[in-house]
Amino acid sequence: MACSFLSPWFRLVLFSVLCRQVLRQFIMCALHCASLLPPQPRAWFWFNRSYQTKVHFKTRGDAHRWNIMKSMNVPEDEIARFVDAEYWLSYFPRCWQADLQKIGAGIDWRRSFITTEVNKYYDSFIRWQFETLREKGFVKPHKRYSIFSPKDGRAMDKAYDRASGEGVEPLEYTLVKLQIADGQTPPGWLSALDGLRVFLAACTLRPETMYGQTNVWVLPDGDYGAYQINDTEVFICSHESARNMSFQGLSQLRGQPKCLFRIRGQELIGLRVCAPLSSYGEVYVMPMPTISMDKCTGIVASVPSFSVDDYVNLEELRRQPELRAKFGLKDEMVLPFKPVTTIDVVGLGTMAAPQMCWLFGIKRPNDKQLLRQAKESTLQRTFYEGVMAAGPYAGRPVKDAKPIIRAQLIDQGHAVEYYEPADTVVSRCSGDRCVVSLSIDWFLDYGNPEWRSQIEAHTKTMELYSDNTAKQLDFGIKWLGGWLCSRTYGLGTRLPWDEKYLIDPRSDSTIYMAFCTVAHLLQGGLPDGSTSGPAGVKPEQLSRQVWDYIFLGKPYPADCGISARTLQRMRTEFEYWYPVDLHVSGNAVTNNHLVPVLYNHAALFPPERWPRSNRVNGLLLLDKEKMSQTTGNFLSLTDGVNQYGADAMRFALADSGDGLVPANFSTKTATAAILRLYTQLKWTEEMLATTDIRDGPPSSFHDRVFESEINRLIGETDAHYARTNMRKALATGFFGMQRARNVYRMNCAVDEQQMNRRLVTRFIEVQALLMAPITPHICEHIWSLLGKSGSVRFASWPVAGPVDTALLKQHAYVMTLLRNMRRCKARVKA
């Protein structure tokens, strides 16, 4: 391994693997109280977004948030200033830098930056990125239905913005318009309606079954409303569905459903309505006690030949005259309406629901478990195996006929498109229950087959360090489709061609590594970019042509006002550092960060500039429990360093685990590390000062064994570091080396011979180098005790000499034999 292994860059990589999750927990602590803010802050890294809401959901109290800030040692006279979102950007970067420096992070702070329009250099860089993506056809406007938070005023992405409902998509329904028949409108409604046409808005997933309508179901105790949809029509539905509709063009004002009057479900029972496609023409409204008012409109078109719920409830009404009387239903409203053939299924016939009820032994509406099982089976079989048995499309497969019939209903004015979240979605930021909104937004076309195939091929050439990471990345590539990249809320960079939108924070943090390569030349050492750096370039000089020259190797823009030498220097920096050799991140952001990083590199750069490897790690536990301020099981970087010291904390972090499984930071390990490192230091000082040691070249059997052990452990530790397995590197680089030293010391004592000075000195030097990435401070001190010039950080990686495998096996055999003999002796004495 070359000396660059211990360069500041690689030490930063090692530090990232060691304590990235502790850093994430620290930032979580810092941003827990961000719900104090009207807008959402961003600073430094993209992963600071979600943490504000957990406390917001748990407490909803400003006093509690104030106390959290105090517990983080924020001065009381500073706390009130956090109502200004941009104050977060100036305050916490200073804290983070100080704490990371305490733990010995080898970071080039000249390259740190704030990722909002506050930093004009980074803002220009992101504008270039998106203008280029749009020019290549990867950013597109799209009118679509998306999960939307009315309180936040923006669409929710699939995961990061959501407190619950991760991955939930809009679900397509058809609202069938069941107009109240002539003469059926209750007199009390007439003054409010003023000539408007009134429809019961029945919500269905299966519009092709409307040929079999026999009645309409409502919840007797349900709270309904009459909502004016446009200048001529009123829909009767639940409030939640009216709220959804108002964001889908089904209200006069967006987001403001206009309720003319409220209605109890009981008032609707017995009304006669016109049923499009039904062979009965007009049907009656009847009660169903199991309707949910939180899902769909609360109005259900009944098709008892298809739906087991509809069949069982209709039969209940047909069998019980007293039940009909209870709800004021006359016999002629119920008894003539029998199930109508709609869909033919092999094995079930044309009456799938009655047949399934017979097969499952369902007789009453309260057979809920059986009804659920029968319903799932019926829905699948009628759709995938069914053939239309009614209407002009009789004989055609249901899955082919459904979209045609749906389009026909909509075109003829008998239905409208309608979408709801497939499950409840709650905004992480505001706690708002989300709706589905029809809007024009800007999307990154991650589902593009050609684009996707490029990164699928590239991942096969990447070093991913784990089969599980490869599987997770493969899933993320397949899962990620069109990605919302615009929003109207928060901080960030404005979309260059449509500045009412901000660029989504997961979308403007995909090639920030490229900006890192030149940030120190552009900025004057401050992360907000408020002063110019060594290059003397102003933000307004950074045109698209300038960025093209730096990152894409295009011709020098002679009219840019920046010297060719300066731009060439920046291009050289980029070409030196790129591609990204190692990208370290958490497994929780594989889908919404690592995959977009690959997509954007593939879109903007040639293949030789794409990331070479991804190292994904799991979350961090504290003493085998989840970190939580609520329970008190929490440790920030500051507290950890103050309690254990930087090296002992890093030691425990390295020992916490490798791979995707949650790592465990053990306070016992950190405490023990203090003694281990102190003992090693004192032994080193003693050995370097003693004269009771043998000079000359290694010559004895034990010398040669110890020398081979050192060489073997150098190779193994090197391999573990190369695989970014810190725990294994610690096992060989520290514990393995200590064990080899102890055995050598014991064997020399048994044979009454002194240890060899050259070997002892080599051991101290090699272990200082092997442990420098994990415990740099004590290793730096030991390096100086050895009289070495310069820093251990820049020293060459130890070169392993030959390993005498046969000798090590002989030694192992002898040690095993001695151990067994001692055990036998102990048994004889006993």
Side-chain angles (χ1 to χ4, degrees):
M1 188 74 71
C3 64
S4 61
F5 183 87
L6 289 176
S7 68
W9 175 84
F10 201 88
R11 289 167 55 76
L12 171 58
V13 169
L14 292 175
F15 172 76
S16 298
V17 179
L18 281 171
C19 61
R20 183 178 180 86
Q21 293 305 330
V22 170
L23 176 62
R24 288 172 66 87
Q25 295 287 353
F26 173 75
I27 294 171
M28 181 189 297
C29 174
L31 295 172
H32 255 326
C33 15
S35 51
L36 283 166
L37 302 177
Q40 194 172 10
R42 339 184 31 209
W44 272 12
F45 302 120
W46 51 266
F47 54 69
N48 67 350
R49 293 300 183 120
S50 65
Y51 303 128
Q52 61 171 315
T53 316
K54 293 184 180 178
V55 168
H56 183 69
F57 286 151
K58 291 176 182 175
T59 65
R60 310 266 176 160
D62 289 345
H64 187 74
R65 292 190 286 270
W66 186 280
N67 290 333
I68 290 176
M69 301 290 279
K70 285 180 63 179
S71 72
M72 294 160 53
N73 298 318
V74 177
E76 287 200 39
D77 58 347
E78 294 268 11
I79 296 176
R81 300 181 65 181
F82 285 92
V83 296
D84 176 8
E86 292 192 2
Y87 189 65
W88 291 75
L89 308 184
S90 63
Y91 184 87
F92 280 109
R94 300 194 303 270
C95 300
W96 297 340
Q97 181 172 342
D99 288 314
L100 291 170
Q101 286 173 333
K102 285 179 184 177
I103 202 171
I107 296 174
D108 184 351
W109 295 105
R110 300 172 304 161
R111 300 177 192 268
S112 61
F113 47 88
I114 290 171
T115 58
T116 76
E117 59 188 345
V118 167
N119 187 319
K120 300 302 181 184
Y121 293 102
Y122 190 76
D123 186 68
S124 172
F125 169 72
I126 296 302
R127 286 173 174 268
W128 165 78
Q129 175 189 354
F130 272 78
E131 285 172 341
T132 306
L133 288 171
R134 188 190 184 203
E135 187 178 81
K136 293 188 173 187
F138 294 124
V139 181
K140 299 177 179 179
H142 186 49
K143 185 176 182 181
R144 73 151 198 174
Y145 292 92
S146 57
I147 306 294
F148 182 86
S149 167
K151 273 190 181 180
D152 298 338
R154 58 189 172 89
M156 302 282 102
D157 71 18
K158 292 182 180 181
Y160 203 76
D161 285 335
R162 307 183 187 189
S164 65
E166 180 176 338
V168 171
E169 296 278 11
L171 185 60
E172 177 188 85
Y173 291 93
T174 303
L175 282 189
V176 181
K177 298 160 63 174
L178 308 173
Q179 186 170 4
I180 295 179
D182 292 341
Q184 290 287 300
T185 306
W189 298 5
L190 296 175
S191 60
L193 294 174
D194 193 24
L196 297 171
R197 294 186 297 159
V198 184
F199 300 86
L200 270 64
C203 194
T204 180
L205 289 166
R206 302 292 294 273
E208 77 281 5
T209 65
M210 292 300 100
Y211 293 104
Q213 291 177 84
T214 59
N215 61 286
V216 181
W217 300 115
V218 297
L219 181 67
D221 296 328
D223 184 15
Y224 295 87
Y227 294 91
Q228 186 167 351
I229 302 302
N230 51 43
D231 293 338
T232 61
E233 296 177 332
V234 171
F235 281 4
I236 293 176
C237 58
S238 66
H239 173 72
E240 188 60 33
S241 62
R243 179 172 174 257
N244 252 287
M245 291 181 208
S246 70
F247 289 95
Q248 298 175 32
L250 297 175
S251 67
Q252 291 181 304
L253 294 175
R254 178 177 170 82
Q256 299 180 35
K258 182 179 180 180
C259 183
L260 302 180
F261 51 87
R262 313 295 297 187
I263 313 163
R264 299 295 292 174
Q266 182 68 49
E267 300 175 52
L268 300 172
I269 296 173
L271 290 181
R272 189 173 75 252
V273 297
C274 301
L277 303 185
S278 173
S279 58
Y280 289 111
E282 294 182 343
V283 297
Y284 290 89
V285 180
M286 302 182 193
M288 179 185 276
T290 57
I291 289 176
S292 171
M293 296 299 289
D294 291 329
K295 192 71 176 173
C296 299
T297 60
I299 309 286
V300 179
S302 174
V303 185
S305 63
F306 158 76
S307 167
V308 291
D309 287 317
D310 295 346
Y311 175 74
V312 169
N313 280 275
L314 183 60
E315 287 301 299
E316 191 84 350
L317 281 170
R318 290 170 63 84
R319 280 196 304 267
Q320 299 186 39
E322 63 278 10
L323 185 60
R324 298 196 295 272
K326 175 183 176 181
F327 290 104
L329 290 170
K330 299 177 182 179
D331 289 353
E332 58 267 27
M333 296 178 178
V334 180
L335 298 180
F337 296 90
K338 299 178 181 180
V340 177
T341 296
T342 307
I343 295 172
D344 188 8
V345 181
V346 175
L348 295 178
T350 58
M351 292 288 169
Q355 184 68 9
M356 290 298 286
C357 287
W358 178 80
L359 289 172
F360 279 82
I362 300 169
K363 297 180 179 179
R364 301 288 180 184
N366 56 4
D367 294 336
K368 294 181 181 179
Q369 185 67 25
L370 293 175
L371 277 169
R372 188 179 301 111
Q373 295 174 12
K375 181 178 180 179
E376 290 175 0
S377 179
T378 306
L379 286 173
Q380 290 186 14
R381 293 191 62 181
T382 54
F383 185 77
Y384 293 106
E385 303 172 25
V387 175
M388 293 300 299
Y393 304 103
R396 296 190 64 169
V398 169
K399 59 185 177 182
D400 295 336
K402 175 185 173 178
I404 300 173
I405 296 169
R406 182 175 190 265
Q408 175 184 308
L409 283 167
I410 293 172
D411 291 344
Q412 293 176 355
H414 296 314
V416 293
E417 285 185 315
Y418 176 65
Y419 287 78
E420 278 192 6
D423 200 353
T424 302
V425 178
V426 176
S427 164
R428 187 181 296 278
C429 182
S430 64
D432 186 26
R433 179 170 177 172
C434 296
V435 299
V436 172
S437 173
L438 177 61
S439 57
I440 297 178
D441 290 303
W442 293 93
F443 287 83
L444 282 159
D445 189 19
Y446 288 148
N448 183 302
E450 183 179 352
W451 200 6
R452 176 186 294 177
S453 65
Q454 286 181 307
I455 66 167
E456 284 178 332
H458 180 62
T459 55
K460 291 180 173 58
T461 69
M462 293 180 70
E463 173 59 76
L464 299 175
Y465 302 97
S466 163
D467 291 339
N468 288 333
T469 299
K471 291 175 183 176
Q472 198 173 25
L473 202 60
D474 183 62
F475 171 81
I477 292 169
K478 291 180 170 61
W479 172 81
L480 194 63
W483 181 269
L484 178 69
C485 65
S486 62
R487 66 197 310 170
T488 57
Y489 182 90
L491 301 176
T493 293
R494 296 281 168 184
L495 207 59
W497 58 89
D498 196 349
E499 295 207 356
K500 68 176 178 288
Y501 289 109
L502 289 157
I503 296 171
D504 170 72
R506 271 75 64 199
S507 303
D508 70 2
S509 56
T510 53
I511 60 165
Y512 60 85
M513 312 83 162
F515 185 77
C516 281
T517 65
V518 297
H520 65 300
L521 299 176
L522 295 174
Q523 302 174 167
L526 297 175
D528 63 2
S530 56
T531 59
S532 296
V537 175
K538 296 179 181 179
E540 55 269 23
Q541 293 177 294
L542 295 170
S543 62
R544 280 193 64 187
Q545 292 73 26
V546 169
W547 292 117
D548 285 345
Y549 176 86
I550 297 170
F551 295 127
L552 303 182
K554 292 189 177 181
Y556 168 68
D559 59 348
C560 67
I562 307 172
S563 70
R565 183 177 179 181
T566 298
L567 288 189
Q568 181 58 50
R569 182 183 176 190
M570 286 193 277
R571 178 192 280 187
T572 301
E573 285 279 342
F574 170 71
E575 292 174 348
Y576 174 80
W577 289 107
Y578 248 61
V580 174
D581 293 293
L582 176 62
H583 186 191
V584 182
S585 193
N587 62 353
V589 295
T590 299
N591 295 346
N592 61 9
H593 176 61
L594 294 182
V595 174
V597 164
L598 295 177
Y599 266 113
N600 280 266
H601 277 83
L604 295 167
F605 303 117
E608 61 270 18
R609 302 291 183 199
W610 299 354
R612 289 177 177 172
S613 69
N614 277 342
R615 173 60 158 85
V616 178
N617 52 269
L619 297 174
L620 185 72
L621 305 178
L622 180 59
D623 288 331
K624 298 182 179 180
E625 293 184 7
K626 181 180 177 182
M627 281 205 197
S628 169
Q629 281 192 315
T630 305
T631 63
N633 192 52
F634 187 84
L635 184 69
S636 69
L637 289 180
T638 308
D639 294 338
V641 172
N642 291 340
Q643 188 169 349
Y644 305 110
D647 280 357
M649 186 176 184
R650 292 172 67 116
F651 189 103
L653 283 167
D655 191 57
S656 63
D658 299 320
L660 296 178
V661 296
N664 178 51
F665 181 92
S666 170
T667 54
K668 289 183 179 179
T669 300
T671 302
I674 299 173
L675 182 58
R676 293 182 192 277
L677 296 174
Y678 178 78
T679 302
Q680 172 65 9
L681 175 60
K682 287 301 172 184
W683 180 84
T684 299
E685 292 173 346
E686 180 184 332
M687 287 296 101
L688 294 178
T690 187
T691 57
D692 187 19
I693 196 165
R694 174 166 44 96
D695 291 314
S699 56
S700 70
F701 175 78
H702 299 310
D703 288 348
R704 289 185 290 115
V705 169
F706 187 36
E707 186 174 31
S708 275
E709 274 291 294
I710 291 174
N711 291 334
R712 180 183 67 84
L713 290 167
I714 290 173
E716 290 185 6
T717 305
D718 180 55
H720 294 324
Y721 275 133
R723 300 290 298 171
T724 66
N725 291 324
M726 300 298 138
R727 188 175 192 176
K728 291 180 179 179
L730 183 68
T732 54
F734 182 80
F735 292 107
M737 290 284 287
Q738 294 282 302
R739 192 180 306 111
R741 186 273 317 268
N742 293 341
V743 170
Y744 175 58
R745 182 169 55 181
M746 180 191 68
N747 289 337
C748 288
V750 169
D751 288 354
E752 297 182 350
Q753 69 175 12
Q754 296 173 323
M755 292 187 289
N756 182 270
R757 184 183 299 278
R758 291 187 190 178
L759 281 180
V760 169
T761 304
R762 174 162 169 75
F763 167 82
I764 294 170
E765 178 180 334
V766 167
Q767 186 161 54
L769 290 168
L770 294 181
M771 287 297 294
I774 297 175
T775 56
H777 304 90
I778 191 170
C779 291
E780 193 74 61
H781 181 60
I782 290 174
W783 196 251
S784 68
L785 292 178
L786 288 168
K788 300 289 186 178
S789 60
S791 170
V792 70
R793 294 179 301 157
F794 304 112
S796 297
W797 189 246
V799 177
V803 177
D804 191 335
T805 307
L807 183 68
L808 293 179
K809 287 181 179 179
Q810 293 170 18
H811 179 258
Y813 175 77
V814 171
M815 294 301 294
T816 303
L817 183 62
L818 288 171
R819 194 160 44 246
N820 291 337
M821 291 175 65
R822 292 189 190 104
R823 288 174 182 169
C824 289
K825 185 177 179 181
R827 290 195 191 101
V828 170
K829 286 185 177 181

